Amino acid sequence: MSQASGNGDSEDEATTRLPRRHVLRTAGAGALGLGLGSAALAATLPDGGASHPEATPIPTPRDLGSVGQAPHLPAGFTKTFTSRFVQADGLRQHAVVGGEGPPLLLIHGWPETWYAWRLVMPALAKHFTVIAVDQRGIGLTDKPKSGYDTGTLARDMVALMDALGHQRFAVVGHDTGMPIAYALAADHPDRVDRLAVAEAILPGVTPSPPMIGSAQVNNRLWHIPFNRLADVNEELVRGREGIYFGWQFATKAVRKLPLYAVDHYVRVLASGHDALRGSFGWYRALDTTSAQDLRRRKHPLTLPVLAIGGAGSLGGNVAGTMKLVAHDVRSAVLPGSGHWVAEEAPQELLAALTTFLAPYRDQGRGTRPPAAATLGK
């Protein structure tokens, strides 16, 4: 996938032509049945926005990675949610948006996309306007060569929410989305009402394991130094995406993810030259992020925080990390779940989020998109 430019359908259509070797051999033909209808409308910017004045229609996302090309979505999903491209601060971001109520931003982890949240999004949309975004470098969002530190990634989220007309919102972040969500709450405290995070560490804050640790720790964490490498990781993984990413999904799960979901992620990661580079960008910026987190830690968060761990993965350690940087931390450990909590334990995750977000939902905080905002045709 080339960097998204929004300049026409020909570039979008080119991203769907994938080499057959990139597809997981173990996925049956049914796993590749992606024709669930095209995504609906593309977002444009609110008229008259001071920060983002341009209001140019952007092509509707229809490529692999959009709602219209996502396999096995929950019943009625496409009636509630649509894919949108949002141009803000020079970055074209892909977000899946739907529902009613105060805004709730969902930030996925590695090596996933917005699709990781699909099982919890319909229930959340009954009470919230749900925005599930592809991070910079991932899925259908642009893949520039820089800007993968969490300070910049948090600003991406602010620009996205500005463009959608949301001044204040709640945030849920998983895996790499957890440090991004933390940076968002720390760097922009006036924007975030409540923060829920799951299954990650905070670079520069969480104590690092020894270089030579137990085999179990090594199996869980070896991808972090590997992903930080400059070029050789891309050379080793390209053409073998099914092996590398399939192993990641299999070994970090208690309840195995369905093959169609793993295949979908692999297809997205194998969809273009920049896809692997973009997926490794967060890890290659860890030195910068670690220095940023050390500064953030000096000013602990005061907003309510929910720290979520899978019982078969990080468990209560997520709360232990967040207590180093926040005053008001609650813990939820999801039984029977490994690392991929939104896909392994969607009902348990929903129960935890429903309780935690209830005060935010009931107070009706957040700003809906202004009436002047229009949708591209």
Side-chain angles (χ1 to χ4, degrees):
M1 184 184 303
S2 62
Q3 288 189 33
S5 64
N7 290 328
D9 290 339
S10 59
E11 179 179 327
D12 289 344
E13 292 170 358
T15 66
T16 64
R17 296 192 289 270
L18 306 180
R20 291 176 62 87
R21 69 178 183 274
H22 292 321
V23 180
L24 277 175
R25 300 297 191 266
T26 54
L32 303 180
L34 307 180
L36 296 176
S38 62
L41 299 174
T44 59
L45 302 179
D47 293 339
S51 300
H52 316 288
E54 63 273 34
T56 304
I58 303 174
T60 300
R62 296 187 181 92
D63 294 347
L64 175 68
S66 67
V67 168
Q69 293 294 315
H72 296 269
L73 293 171
F77 192 95
T78 56
K79 294 181 180 179
T80 301
F81 293 98
T82 58
S83 277
R84 302 185 187 183
F85 280 141
V86 178
Q87 188 79 31
D89 283 356
L91 185 76
R92 191 181 78 166
Q93 299 187 63
H94 173 240
V96 176
V97 182
E100 295 183 357
L104 176 63
L105 175 63
L106 307 179
I107 309 175
H108 66 83
W110 180 90
E112 299 176 300
T113 67
W114 71 267
Y115 184 72
W117 303 106
R118 68 195 180 281
L119 300 179
V120 299
M121 289 170 68
L124 292 172
K126 295 178 181 178
H127 305 287
F128 304 98
T129 299
V130 176
I131 303 100
V133 62
D134 284 343
Q135 296 175 27
R136 172 188 293 245
I138 304 294
L140 292 177
T141 291
D142 279 351
K143 299 165 183 61
K145 293 183 178 180
S146 61
Y148 293 91
D149 60 281
T150 55
T152 302
L153 292 166
R155 288 194 295 273
D156 289 347
M157 300 298 109
V158 169
L160 170 71
M161 298 303 274
D162 279 345
L164 293 175
H166 302 302
Q167 176 62 30
R168 192 164 175 85
F169 45 90
V171 181
V172 185
H174 169 255
D175 188 77
T176 57
M178 172 173 157
I180 298 170
Y182 166 61
L184 180 55
D187 297 356
H188 309 274
D190 58 321
R191 305 303 297 270
V192 180
D193 192 286
R194 288 192 163 226
L195 173 67
V197 293
E199 279 292 310
I201 63 171
L202 293 181
V205 174
T206 308
S208 297
M211 183 175 69
I212 301 177
S214 69
Q216 181 182 23
V217 171
N218 185 70
N219 283 341
R220 288 181 181 274
L221 301 179
W222 73 273
H223 69 282
I224 297 178
F226 179 81
N227 288 356
R228 297 181 71 181
L229 297 173
D231 297 301
V232 70
N233 45 14
E234 293 177 42
E235 296 174 8
L236 290 171
V237 173
R238 185 167 288 111
R240 306 175 184 89
E241 290 87 350
I243 297 173
Y244 180 57
F245 295 109
W247 191 92
Q248 297 293 335
F249 283 112
T251 58
K252 292 176 172 60
V254 171
R255 303 171 183 171
K256 302 299 184 184
L257 273 61
L259 287 177
Y260 68 76
V262 176
D263 178 73
H264 178 68
Y265 293 127
V266 170
R267 284 168 59 86
V268 170
L269 288 157
S271 62
H273 179 75
D274 291 338
L276 278 179
R277 177 180 56 76
S279 78
F280 293 146
W282 186 92
Y283 295 89
R284 289 169 174 164
L286 275 173
D287 286 348
T288 301
T289 291
S290 295
Q292 293 172 351
D293 279 352
L294 284 173
R295 293 193 295 271
R296 294 179 183 120
R297 185 179 181 179
K298 297 176 182 178
H299 305 282
L301 302 179
T302 58
L303 81 172
V305 176
L306 176 64
I308 304 164
S313 186
L314 292 182
N317 291 325
V318 182
T321 285
M322 292 309 298
K323 287 177 181 178
L324 299 175
V325 297
H327 292 307
D328 183 3
V329 178
R330 304 98 188 267
S331 179
V333 177
L334 308 187
S337 180
H339 178 68
W340 318 103
V341 291
E343 296 181 87
E344 294 185 61
Q347 294 305 316
E348 294 88 344
L349 177 61
L350 275 171
L353 290 176
T354 297
T355 299
F356 177 68
L357 294 172
Y360 169 68
R361 176 199 65 205
D362 295 342
Q363 292 169 7
R365 291 184 179 177
T367 303
R368 295 188 180 185
T374 58
L375 297 178
K377 298 181 179 179

